[in-house]
Amino acid sequence: MTEITELIEKAQTTHSLKKDELVSVLNDNSANDILFKTADIVRKKYVGDEVHLRGLIEFSNICKCSCFYCGLRKDNPSVQRYRMTAEQIIELAQNAKDYGYKTVVLQSGEDAFFDTKKLCKIISSIKSLGLALTLSAGEKTYEEYKAYKQAGADRYLLRIETTDKNLYAKLHPSMSFENRVRCLKDLKTLGFEVGTGCLVGLPQQSDESLANDILFFKELDADMIGLGPFIPCPNTPLENEKGGTLIKALKVMALTRLLLPDINIPATTAMETLQPNGRILALQSGANVVMPDVTEQDCKQKYTIYPGKAGLNNTALDYKNSIVKNIESIGRTISEGYGFHNKIFGK
Ligand code: 5AD
């Protein structure tokens, strides 16, 4: 056994590694296959072979933020902006239900048009369809999050993006790391299932900073972790930077599975964008969730967080069917349940 395989085994049995141990595994590529296999074993042991599907509704691409990596940043004039009506959003949720989804994820830019009253009305209408509901609409106040919870929202996704405070400050003008952490803690306090995560391969991001990201996920006691490679996007300040690699993103994901064995981890679209079988590799390296887009084509094509997004030219139903086929082809099954976090470990 090498030092690296020993560390992987330690993570498999104790579900904990120190920062320098995480860095050693991230730095070394000699045992990647063993890392992915081990994450797959731990995934099977704690969350089983079922894959949870979540239907993603991208309901507005209007955003007041200017994150350097994101194609939807407000300073990108080349984006055709759209905002769905409440009726359109609810209709897409109904479609998702008809296609067999048990959860919908409502995602948008930070669009102030959807104030608490509007959003809560949409949330309660969707909840009355009998679906679980995940929101991903950015940084809000405690009171706003509380209102969403009372309206019936079950989960909230808000990636920390990076725990490197200097890098965070450079990439997020007019935003603060402290406020983002405050949001995540408020969401936890309010009883949401909380999803966070990071980008992998940002300029100047070190393995040490990725190790800190993983430790942050554990410290927060996250219920879900979504991460993916950074993909440079035209018309953003980072358009000419090098992007992240699929392998590095899979390694961060696999280590996250080893340290947080029972959480939900999506195989993300960004992974599939870098490599056609990226999602399948992710499902075989620790992931147990897929979030297919159920947004109609015209809007979906304008939700350009990064270029080349997988699944853009398929209808929602075709895309879902092809994902289901792929999932079943690797011996996994589609969950019939809501796929809540079944907590075994953690705080
Ligand atoms: N490449 C990959 N992922 C990105 N995101 C934003 N911009 C990019 C990009 N260029 C991710 C962020 C955000 C999520 C919705 O999309 O992590 O939280």
Side-chain angles (χ1 to χ4, degrees), residues 204-217:
Q204 296 164 37
Q205 188 182 39
S206 62
D207 284 342
E208 191 186 342
S209 132
L210 290 169
N212 281 331
D213 293 350
I214 299 169
L215 294 174
F216 173 84
F217 305 156

PDB file of all heavy atoms in Angstrom, residues 204-217:
ATOM      1  N   GLN A 204      -6.055  30.417  -9.707  1.00  0.00           N
ATOM      2  CA  GLN A 204      -5.394  30.616  -8.399  1.00  0.00           C
ATOM      3  C   GLN A 204      -5.973  29.766  -7.268  1.00  0.00           C
ATOM      4  O   GLN A 204      -5.668  29.986  -6.102  1.00  0.00           O
ATOM      5  CB  GLN A 204      -5.451  32.085  -7.964  1.00  0.00           C
ATOM      6  CG  GLN A 204      -4.700  33.026  -8.890  1.00  0.00           C
ATOM      7  CD  GLN A 204      -5.101  34.470  -8.658  1.00  0.00           C
ATOM      8  OE1 GLN A 204      -5.339  34.899  -7.540  1.00  0.00           O
ATOM      9  NE2 GLN A 204      -5.169  35.238  -9.736  1.00  0.00           N
ATOM     10  N   GLN A 205      -6.801  28.804  -7.611  1.00  0.00           N
ATOM     11  CA  GLN A 205      -7.348  27.935  -6.550  1.00  0.00           C
ATOM     12  C   GLN A 205      -6.352  26.800  -6.296  1.00  0.00           C
ATOM     13  O   GLN A 205      -5.981  26.093  -7.224  1.00  0.00           O
ATOM     14  CB  GLN A 205      -8.694  27.377  -7.011  1.00  0.00           C
ATOM     15  CG  GLN A 205      -9.475  26.608  -5.973  1.00  0.00           C
ATOM     16  CD  GLN A 205     -10.775  26.071  -6.574  1.00  0.00           C
ATOM     17  OE1 GLN A 205     -10.789  25.623  -7.723  1.00  0.00           O
ATOM     18  NE2 GLN A 205     -11.856  26.115  -5.821  1.00  0.00           N
ATOM     19  N   SER A 206      -5.951  26.642  -5.048  1.00  0.00           N
ATOM     20  CA  SER A 206      -4.951  25.610  -4.738  1.00  0.00           C
ATOM     21  C   SER A 206      -5.627  24.337  -4.219  1.00  0.00           C
ATOM     22  O   SER A 206      -6.803  24.354  -3.855  1.00  0.00           O
ATOM     23  CB  SER A 206      -4.006  26.137  -3.656  1.00  0.00           C
ATOM     24  OG  SER A 206      -4.749  26.391  -2.483  1.00  0.00           O
ATOM     25  N   ASP A 207      -4.854  23.252  -4.167  1.00  0.00           N
ATOM     26  CA  ASP A 207      -5.379  22.022  -3.566  1.00  0.00           C
ATOM     27  C   ASP A 207      -5.700  22.247  -2.093  1.00  0.00           C
ATOM     28  O   ASP A 207      -6.636  21.659  -1.556  1.00  0.00           O
ATOM     29  CB  ASP A 207      -4.366  20.880  -3.720  1.00  0.00           C
ATOM     30  CG  ASP A 207      -4.364  20.328  -5.141  1.00  0.00           C
ATOM     31  OD1 ASP A 207      -5.346  20.576  -5.881  1.00  0.00           O
ATOM     32  OD2 ASP A 207      -3.388  19.661  -5.524  1.00  0.00           O
ATOM     33  N   GLU A 208      -4.921  23.098  -1.464  1.00  0.00           N
ATOM     34  CA  GLU A 208      -5.187  23.391  -0.060  1.00  0.00           C
ATOM     35  C   GLU A 208      -6.556  24.053   0.090  1.00  0.00           C
ATOM     36  O   GLU A 208      -7.333  23.734   1.007  1.00  0.00           O
ATOM     37  CB  GLU A 208      -4.097  24.306   0.492  1.00  0.00           C
ATOM     38  CG  GLU A 208      -4.188  24.422   1.984  1.00  0.00           C
ATOM     39  CD  GLU A 208      -3.219  25.438   2.557  1.00  0.00           C
ATOM     40  OE1 GLU A 208      -2.250  25.823   1.869  1.00  0.00           O
ATOM     41  OE2 GLU A 208      -3.463  25.853   3.710  1.00  0.00           O
ATOM     42  N   SER A 209      -6.859  24.928  -0.846  1.00  0.00           N
ATOM     43  CA  SER A 209      -8.159  25.596  -0.752  1.00  0.00           C
ATOM     44  C   SER A 209      -9.297  24.613  -1.032  1.00  0.00           C
ATOM     45  O   SER A 209     -10.357  24.660  -0.393  1.00  0.00           O
ATOM     46  CB  SER A 209      -8.137  26.829  -1.664  1.00  0.00           C
ATOM     47  OG  SER A 209      -9.240  26.918  -2.479  1.00  0.00           O
ATOM     48  N   LEU A 210      -9.081  23.659  -1.943  1.00  0.00           N
ATOM     49  CA  LEU A 210     -10.112  22.631  -2.183  1.00  0.00           C
ATOM     50  C   LEU A 210     -10.281  21.735  -0.949  1.00  0.00           C
ATOM     51  O   LEU A 210     -11.399  21.335  -0.609  1.00  0.00           O
ATOM     52  CB  LEU A 210      -9.747  21.792  -3.410  1.00  0.00           C
ATOM     53  CG  LEU A 210      -9.856  22.531  -4.759  1.00  0.00           C
ATOM     54  CD1 LEU A 210      -9.214  21.719  -5.882  1.00  0.00           C
ATOM     55  CD2 LEU A 210     -11.320  22.832  -5.102  1.00  0.00           C
ATOM     56  N   ALA A 211      -9.158  21.446  -0.286  1.00  0.00           N
ATOM     57  CA  ALA A 211      -9.242  20.651   0.952  1.00  0.00           C
ATOM     58  C   ALA A 211     -10.066  21.406   1.993  1.00  0.00           C
ATOM     59  O   ALA A 211     -10.921  20.823   2.677  1.00  0.00           O
ATOM     60  CB  ALA A 211      -7.832  20.369   1.477  1.00  0.00           C
ATOM     61  N   ASN A 212      -9.841  22.714   2.075  1.00  0.00           N
ATOM     62  CA  ASN A 212     -10.636  23.533   3.010  1.00  0.00           C
ATOM     63  C   ASN A 212     -12.119  23.523   2.632  1.00  0.00           C
ATOM     64  O   ASN A 212     -12.987  23.540   3.507  1.00  0.00           O
ATOM     65  CB  ASN A 212     -10.132  24.978   3.011  1.00  0.00           C
ATOM     66  CG  ASN A 212      -8.888  25.145   3.853  1.00  0.00           C
ATOM     67  OD1 ASN A 212      -8.696  24.406   4.833  1.00  0.00           O
ATOM     68  ND2 ASN A 212      -8.027  26.073   3.483  1.00  0.00           N
ATOM     69  N   ASP A 213     -12.394  23.508   1.342  1.00  0.00           N
ATOM     70  CA  ASP A 213     -13.796  23.452   0.897  1.00  0.00           C
ATOM     71  C   ASP A 213     -14.463  22.186   1.441  1.00  0.00           C
ATOM     72  O   ASP A 213     -15.566  22.227   1.986  1.00  0.00           O
ATOM     73  CB  ASP A 213     -13.897  23.444  -0.643  1.00  0.00           C
ATOM     74  CG  ASP A 213     -13.445  24.757  -1.278  1.00  0.00           C
ATOM     75  OD1 ASP A 213     -13.222  25.740  -0.548  1.00  0.00           O
ATOM     76  OD2 ASP A 213     -13.307  24.797  -2.517  1.00  0.00           O
ATOM     77  N   ILE A 214     -13.770  21.057   1.288  1.00  0.00           N
ATOM     78  CA  ILE A 214     -14.343  19.777   1.742  1.00  0.00           C
ATOM     79  C   ILE A 214     -14.563  19.805   3.259  1.00  0.00           C
ATOM     80  O   ILE A 214     -15.602  19.372   3.762  1.00  0.00           O
ATOM     81  CB  ILE A 214     -13.425  18.598   1.335  1.00  0.00           C
ATOM     82  CG1 ILE A 214     -13.283  18.529  -0.195  1.00  0.00           C
ATOM     83  CG2 ILE A 214     -13.978  17.276   1.881  1.00  0.00           C
ATOM     84  CD1 ILE A 214     -12.198  17.573  -0.694  1.00  0.00           C
ATOM     85  N   LEU A 215     -13.594  20.358   3.980  1.00  0.00           N
ATOM     86  CA  LEU A 215     -13.743  20.436   5.444  1.00  0.00           C
ATOM     87  C   LEU A 215     -14.877  21.385   5.827  1.00  0.00           C
ATOM     88  O   LEU A 215     -15.588  21.157   6.809  1.00  0.00           O
ATOM     89  CB  LEU A 215     -12.413  20.872   6.087  1.00  0.00           C
ATOM     90  CG  LEU A 215     -11.284  19.839   5.932  1.00  0.00           C
ATOM     91  CD1 LEU A 215      -9.961  20.403   6.455  1.00  0.00           C
ATOM     92  CD2 LEU A 215     -11.625  18.527   6.663  1.00  0.00           C
ATOM     93  N   PHE A 216     -15.060  22.419   5.027  1.00  0.00           N
ATOM     94  CA  PHE A 216     -16.184  23.346   5.261  1.00  0.00           C
ATOM     95  C   PHE A 216     -17.523  22.613   5.095  1.00  0.00           C
ATOM     96  O   PHE A 216     -18.451  22.803   5.883  1.00  0.00           O
ATOM     97  CB  PHE A 216     -16.080  24.518   4.276  1.00  0.00           C
ATOM     98  CG  PHE A 216     -17.257  25.460   4.308  1.00  0.00           C
ATOM     99  CD1 PHE A 216     -17.327  26.488   5.245  1.00  0.00           C
ATOM    100  CD2 PHE A 216     -18.306  25.323   3.400  1.00  0.00           C
ATOM    101  CE1 PHE A 216     -18.419  27.358   5.287  1.00  0.00           C
ATOM    102  CE2 PHE A 216     -19.399  26.181   3.428  1.00  0.00           C
ATOM    103  CZ  PHE A 216     -19.458  27.204   4.374  1.00  0.00           C
ATOM    104  N   PHE A 217     -17.630  21.753   4.077  1.00  0.00           N
ATOM    105  CA  PHE A 217     -18.885  21.006   3.859  1.00  0.00           C
ATOM    106  C   PHE A 217     -19.223  20.174   5.097  1.00  0.00           C
ATOM    107  O   PHE A 217     -20.368  20.063   5.507  1.00  0.00           O
ATOM    108  CB  PHE A 217     -18.779  20.054   2.651  1.00  0.00           C
ATOM    109  CG  PHE A 217     -18.369  20.700   1.347  1.00  0.00           C
ATOM    110  CD1 PHE A 217     -17.753  19.927   0.345  1.00  0.00           C
ATOM    111  CD2 PHE A 217     -18.604  22.040   1.104  1.00  0.00           C
ATOM    112  CE1 PHE A 217     -17.378  20.509  -0.865  1.00  0.00           C
ATOM    113  CE2 PHE A 217     -18.228  22.624  -0.104  1.00  0.00           C
ATOM    114  CZ  PHE A 217     -17.605  21.846  -1.088  1.00  0.00           C
TER     115      PHE A 217
END
